[in-house]
Amino acid sequence: MAKNILICDDAAFMRMMIKDILTKNGYNVAGEAENGARAVEQYSALKPDLVLMDITMPEMDGIQALKKIKESDPGAMVIMCSAMGQQAMVIESIQSGAKDFIVKPFQADRVIEAVKKVVG
């Protein structure tokens, strides 16, 4: 059974790129969110197996959204996505419960490796 994944990134082209990588590798994209607040709503509605969450987003950043998702579902699986040079944020997101992180610009094999490690 294909794993359902929620993609959260404020850049539409990044969501499209990630969706392309995931679907080509047999994963199902359950939904997309353009900011952290929407990610939290989508998570509740869709109950995906995994969330790929950008750190820097408008309205609510990825770390705040991660914390809210983990509050409602301590078992939530979240992989954070960050640009180079966001080490402090990456550390905070791991401490807040993220299972892994991927650095932008993405390499397809690294995305799939992280997803497989977390949800198989």
Side-chain angles (χ1 to χ4, degrees):
M1 174 121 171
K3 297 288 183 187
N4 288 316
I5 301 175
L6 173 62
I7 302 170
C8 311
D9 197 302
D10 55 328
F13 76 94
M14 289 307 288
R15 294 195 307 270
M16 195 175 73
M17 208 169 94
I18 298 166
K19 186 176 187 171
D20 188 52
I21 293 168
L22 293 171
T23 52
K24 282 182 177 159
N25 284 275
Y27 293 96
N28 180 43
V29 175
E32 297 181 25
E34 64 287 342
N35 61 54
R38 188 89 179 101
V40 174
E41 287 168 18
Q42 290 277 68
Y43 186 85
S44 303
L46 302 168
K47 299 279 184 253
D49 299 301
L50 176 67
V51 181
L52 289 178
M53 178 92 68
D54 185 23
I55 290 179
T56 313
M57 291 186 289
E59 281 187 55
M60 180 190 292
D61 70 31
I63 294 172
Q64 290 173 300
L66 166 69
K67 289 175 180 173
K68 284 212 177 299
I69 288 170
K70 287 299 236 177
E71 270 171 32
S72 69
D73 178 3
M77 298 293 178
V78 182
I79 295 175
M80 303 304 283
C81 307
S82 75
M84 284 292 212
Q86 290 182 316
Q87 288 330 96
M89 288 176 156
V90 167
I91 292 164
E92 186 182 347
S93 59
I94 297 293
Q95 288 169 338
S96 299
K99 298 295 176 199
D100 200 351
F101 67 93
I102 312 166
V103 177
K104 293 176 181 179
F106 298 125
Q107 289 169 320
D109 54 352
R110 175 66 187 109
V111 173
I112 295 306
E113 176 193 317
V115 170
K116 280 184 177 161
K117 190 173 96 179
V118 176
V119 292

